[in-house]
């Protein structure tokens, strides 16, 4: 595994397994940006803190000043009121070109240089910083691998690449000098939904490896919820409406505007943020073949279920047996198929979907080794969303899914 | 007018159409093209005139390019400059070349400058417009990405904007070169230089066909060669332009 946190004096060839890298805290302190001749400010008294290594999503309707707020950080747009600091240093006090060379910048149309090869595009900032040739070449190879492009792309020109590939190069170019901060202005906005989804996931994986402070503008609330550690919702006139982690934003929008903006399906959206493994799973009554059926029947009755899960010697679910069939030793031939299992890393939204498609109220969950981990019920999920501990409650459900 | 040329002095051996001295029936009869005569006069007439013509073209193109390039950079930075310079160079472009040469004789005399000035003025419009449009057509997002990565204004100009404008600039040079090659033949009217000299000479002597066609043909070939030259330069200098999408 390569990492982007290679110390500058060692060069990128000094690879280490450690991830982490550099990241910096960004603080907006009462920043106001007014364009000449406009009554309403584009950004109005904005204060927020973006923790080092976090992904902060800036969302809002058009005219809410998202892109303006982003460009204030690398001073593509200048401002006079308030201050923005990166690791405590005010951006307005920095030399503007030095500041920008230390900040990765990715835009929707990529802005790749059409007259330069992919390699030369990626090498832009390292060249400005006067890295030596060998180090630049090694860095290019490393970055192509990191963004999932074959090394032979290095010699091609941007026009020879697809939209998704160009955006990968844009990302590699922004990461080239290992900046602690990345600014991304709707980077995936021009891509088709499938490519966009793939790049979003790859970016999250990449971010886990390189740890950058990312400020990411999008108009897509789903993207914001999927990608963000925190989401900053701006309203018309560049005023901050809410700044919270996605789950809080969906669960407790501060007002009508935010509730409208995140959408009426915010409950469902929250389901995609959580995984089955986050829940306190319900205990599942189970037995191995040959066990005493009467004792097993009593265990099933005790939790109020109608069905027993048949497991093998390693605890892997094999099927389910109705309570009434449990006479004498547990017999494997009485078992019916369970259908689709839930998994611990399955988003709750998918778990619910499986439940609905199997017309059952419960889902049998297995762990990474395929062993029975417990049960999920629709009630458990809704209780999770409501924020109460559902596992302590009694259940009236009488059957595991068929 | 024609008398000026007769004083040029270094013209080719003038054939005697009717007389018997030349001993060449083709020349005596003023045949369409006497290859023998062309060959005999290659080294002392056609070759030096061709070289002079190339020199004249290169010098005029170089001066024209320096002026237009500087003007285009200025107009790119200060938009107000575009209109007056375009108007000025377009005005110069509309002046008939023969008239301009004639007017300049009264100012700069029968000198190289008199020949060069009109040639240069005819390059200005095309070189200025092409350079400026090439720069203006650099996509905004490319410029913005360059700025966002911390390139200075000068670095953006030399590393991004001018390389991207290069196809337009070279296309301008290509057209300007062909224009200057053809106009430079007219320049011999005021300054005994280049392939225009044998052309005027041939006309002056009663339209000696071999000399007229020989020099005129070389001028045409030179025009084609300069067009091809810039086509090759385009291809070599801007390999990326082939992949550019419409």
């Amino acid at each position: 595994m390569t990492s982007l946190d290679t110390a500058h004096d060692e060069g990128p060839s000094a690879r280490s397994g450690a991830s982490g890298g550099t990241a910096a805290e960004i603080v907006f302190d009462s920043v106001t940006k007014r364009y000449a001749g406009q009554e309403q400010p584009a950004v109005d008294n904005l204060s927020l803190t973006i923790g080092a290594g976090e992904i902060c999503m800036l969302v809002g309707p058009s005219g809410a000043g998202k892109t303006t707020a982003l460009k204030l950080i690398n001073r593509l747009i200048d401002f006079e009121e308030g201050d923005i600091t990166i690791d405590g240093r005010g951006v307005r006090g920095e030399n503007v070109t030095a500041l920008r060379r230390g900040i990765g910048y990715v835009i929707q149309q990529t802005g790749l240089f059409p007259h330069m090869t992919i390699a030369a595009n990626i090498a832009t900032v390292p060249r400005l910083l006067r890295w030596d040739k060998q180090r630049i070449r090694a860095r290019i190879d490393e970055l192509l691998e990191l963004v999932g492009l074959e090394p032979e792309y290095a010699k091609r020109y941007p026009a020879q690449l697809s939209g998704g590939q160009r955006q990968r190069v844009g990302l590699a170019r922004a990461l080239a000098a290992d900046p602690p901060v990345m600014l991304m202005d709707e980077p995936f906005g021009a891509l088709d939904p499938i490519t966009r989804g793939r790049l979003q996931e790859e970016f999250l994986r990449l971010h886990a490896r390189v740890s950058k402070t990312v400020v990411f503008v999008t108009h897509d609330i789903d993207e914001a919820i999927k990608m963000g550690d925190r989401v900053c919702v701006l309203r018309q006139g560049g005023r901050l409406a809410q700044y919270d982690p996605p789950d809080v934003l969906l669960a407790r929008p501060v007002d009508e505007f935010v509730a409208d903006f995140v959408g009426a399906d915010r409950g469902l959206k929250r389901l995609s943020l959580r995984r089955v493994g986050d829940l306190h799973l319900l205990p599942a009554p189970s037995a191995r073949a040959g066990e005493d059926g009467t004792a097993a029947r009593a265990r099933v009755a005790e939790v109020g279920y109608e069905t027993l899960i048949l497991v093998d010697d390693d605890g892997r679910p094999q099927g389910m047996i109705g309570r009434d069939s449990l006479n004498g030793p547990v017999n494997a031939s009485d078992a019916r198929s369970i259908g689709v299992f839930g998994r611990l890393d399955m988003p709750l939204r998918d778990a619910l979907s499986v439940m609905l498609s199997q017309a059952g109220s419960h889902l049998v969950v297995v762990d990474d080794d395929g062993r029975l981990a417990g049960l999920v019920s629709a009630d458990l999920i809704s209780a999770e969303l409501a924020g109460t501990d559902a596992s302590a409650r009694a259940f009236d459900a009488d059957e595991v899914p068929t | 007018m024609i008398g000026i040329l007769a004083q040029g002095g270094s013209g080719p051996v003038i054939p005697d159409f009717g007389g018997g001295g030349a001993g060449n029936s083709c020349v005596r009869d003023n045949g369409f093209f006497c290859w023998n005569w062309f060959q005999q006069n290659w080294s002392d007439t056609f070759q030096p005139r061709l070289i002079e013509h190339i020199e004249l073209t290169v010098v005029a193109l170089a001066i024209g390019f320096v002026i237009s390039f500087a003007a285009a950079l200025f107009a790119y930075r200060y938009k107000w400059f575009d209109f007056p310079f375009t108007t000025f160079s377009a005005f110069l472009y509309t002046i008939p070349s023969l008239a301009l040469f004639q007017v300049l004789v009264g100012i700069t005399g029968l000198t190289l400058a008199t020949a060069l000035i009109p040639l240069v003025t005819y390059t200005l419009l095309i070189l200025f417009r092409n350079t400026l449009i090439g720069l203006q057509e650099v996509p905004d997002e490319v410029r913005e990405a360059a700025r966002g990565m911390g390139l200075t204004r000068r670095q953006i100009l030399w590393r991004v904007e001018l390389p991207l404008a290069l196809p337009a600039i070279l296309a301008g040079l290509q057209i300007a070169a062909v224009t200057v090659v053809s106009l430079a033949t007219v320049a011999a009217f005021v300054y005994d230089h280049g392939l225009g000299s044998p052309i005027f000479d041939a006309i002056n002597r009663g339209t000696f066909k071999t000399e007229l066609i020989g020099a005129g043909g070389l001028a045409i070939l030179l025009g084609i060669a300069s067009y091809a030259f810039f086509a090759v330069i385009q291809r070599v200098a801007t390999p990326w332009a082939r992949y550019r999408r419409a």
Side-chain angles (χ1 to χ4, degrees), chain A residues 31-33 72 77-84 91-92:
Chain A
V31 176
T32 298
K33 170 65 193 176
L72 293 177
I77 297 173
D78 264 311
F79 61 101
E80 282 76 39
E81 298 172 55
D83 204 3
I84 299 173
V91 297
R92 283 198 289 158

Side-chain angles (χ1 to χ4, degrees), chain A residues 71 100-101 105 115 159, chain B residues 144 147 150 155 159 243 245:
Chain A
K71 289 181 178 176
R100 289 173 185 163
R101 287 168 195 183
Y105 187 49
H115 61 298
Chain B
E144 162 149 338
R147 239 159 53 87
Q155 284 166 337
R159 298 189 193 187
Y243 305 111
R245 285 165 190 175

Side-chain angles (χ1 to χ4, degrees), chain B residues 26-46:
Chain B
C26 176
V27 171
R28 202 165 45 243
D29 302 340
N30 194 14
F32 183 70
F33 186 71
C34 308
W35 180 246
N36 271 340
W37 190 88
F38 181 76
Q39 272 185 312
Q40 281 160 18
N41 289 277
W42 169 255
S43 57
D44 62 337
T45 300
F46 293 106

Side-chain angles (χ1 to χ4, degrees), chain A residues 26-354:
Chain A
I26 302 172
V27 179
F28 279 70
D29 181 14
S30 314
V31 176
T32 298
K33 170 65 193 176
R34 270 175 239 276
Y35 287 111
Q38 277 178 24
E39 227 169 90
Q40 204 179 36
V43 171
D44 192 357
N45 198 25
L46 183 64
S47 293
L48 65 131
T49 300
I50 302 162
E54 276 187 3
I55 300 178
C56 167
M57 306 296 289
L58 290 176
V59 288
S62 47
K66 324 180 274 287
T67 295
T68 301
L70 183 89
K71 289 181 178 176
L72 293 177
I73 300 172
N74 65 355
R75 287 177 55 199
L76 282 174
I77 297 173
D78 264 311
F79 61 101
E80 282 76 39
E81 298 172 55
D83 204 3
I84 299 173
T85 58
I86 299 176
D87 259 356
R89 296 217 307 254
V91 297
R92 283 198 289 158
E94 299 268 312
N95 172 291
V96 72
T97 55
L99 172 79
R100 289 173 185 163
R101 287 168 195 183
I103 297 176
Y105 187 49
V106 185
I107 58 177
Q108 181 175 336
Q109 312 90 330
T110 73
L112 295 183
F113 302 143
H115 61 298
M116 291 185 190
T117 61
I118 301 311
N121 264 288
I122 295 174
T124 304
V125 177
R127 275 184 191 160
L128 291 173
L129 298 174
R130 302 186 189 287
W131 288 15
D132 65 64
K133 277 192 178 138
Q134 256 188 324
R135 183 174 169 204
I136 291 176
R137 197 167 312 136
R139 184 66 176 151
I140 290 166
D141 293 343
E142 190 183 4
L143 284 163
L144 284 175
E145 190 253 79
L146 188 73
V147 300
L149 286 174
E150 299 295 316
E152 72 235 31
Y153 282 102
K155 292 193 205 77
R156 299 201 190 163
Y157 289 99
Q160 294 172 281
L161 271 56
S162 70
Q165 289 170 332
R166 281 205 288 271
Q167 200 49 267
R168 287 166 197 266
V169 176
L171 206 54
R173 183 172 71 170
L175 285 165
D178 196 22
V181 172
M182 297 270 287
L183 305 182
M184 306 178 74
D185 194 352
E186 298 203 34
F188 309 137
L191 304 173
D192 65 84
I194 292 170
T195 309
R196 186 189 313 145
R198 191 182 301 146
L199 279 180
Q200 285 170 344
E201 266 142 45
E202 284 181 26
F203 180 75
L204 286 175
R205 273 201 292 277
L206 187 152
H207 182 258
R209 278 169 75 179
V210 302
S211 174
K212 303 282 168 202
T213 308
V214 177
V215 185
F216 190 126
V217 166
T218 181
H219 62 263
D220 176 358
I221 184 69
D222 291 315
E223 184 170 60
I225 286 162
K226 179 176 176 182
M227 308 282 289
D229 293 313
R230 278 165 180 270
V231 179
C232 169
V233 184
L234 295 170
R235 68 175 93 231
Q236 208 74 32
R239 281 171 300 136
L240 180 65
Q242 188 165 1
Y243 181 50
D244 269 314
D247 195 50
V248 176
L249 189 76
L250 292 170
R252 294 194 294 279
V254 290
D255 59 16
E256 196 87 348
F257 168 78
V258 178
D260 268 2
F261 192 77
V262 297
D265 61 341
R266 58 195 165 88
L268 281 177
K269 282 172 180 155
R270 287 183 70 205
L271 289 180
S272 22
L273 288 173
R274 302 186 186 200
R275 296 176 190 280
V276 170
D278 298 338
L279 300 176
H280 248 301
L281 295 178
L282 305 172
S286 68
R288 296 190 177 94
E291 271 182 44
D292 176 19
T294 318
R297 187 173 172 167
R299 286 209 301 279
V300 175
E302 193 185 333
V303 288
Y305 289 158
E306 291 288 338
T307 314
L308 174 91
I309 309 285
L310 176 71
V311 295
D312 67 9
D313 290 343
D314 293 324
R316 295 193 184 88
Q318 303 296 303
M320 52 193 185
I321 302 171
R323 194 165 71 177
D324 298 337
S325 310
L326 292 170
N327 300 307
V330 175
N331 188 350
S333 63
D334 294 331
R336 288 172 290 138
S337 160
I338 291 176
V340 179
F341 293 117
R343 300 195 165 274
L344 293 176
D345 63 353
M346 189 182 250
L348 291 186
R349 188 174 183 145
D350 297 1
L352 194 62
S353 170
V354 171

Side-chain angles (χ1 to χ4, degrees), chain B residues 59-61 63-64 67 115-124 180:
Chain B
V59 171
L61 211 53
I63 296 172
I67 295 170
L116 267 177
I117 290 168
L119 295 183
V120 170
T121 61
Y122 289 115
T123 66
L124 295 182
V180 171

Side-chain angles (χ1 to χ4, degrees), chain B residues 128-201:
Chain B
F128 173 75
R129 293 301 312 161
N130 270 40
T131 305
L132 184 57
I133 288 168
L135 289 170
Q136 287 168 343
E137 282 185 348
V138 171
D140 283 341
E141 71 267 17
V142 170
R143 215 174 277 124
E144 162 149 338
R147 239 159 53 87
M149 284 188 291
L151 276 79
T152 61
R153 199 202 283 258
R154 178 178 297 233
Q155 284 166 337
I156 293 172
L157 180 67
W158 289 96
R159 298 189 193 187
V160 179
E161 293 176 315
L162 282 171
L164 285 176
L166 195 57
I169 294 171
L170 288 171
L173 279 168
Q174 188 173 41
I175 297 169
V178 175
T179 308
V180 171
V181 165
S182 88
L183 272 178
T185 56
V186 182
F189 172 62
V190 293
Y191 185 68
D192 185 20
H193 217 64
L195 290 165
S197 289
I199 291 174
F200 278 117
D201 201 42

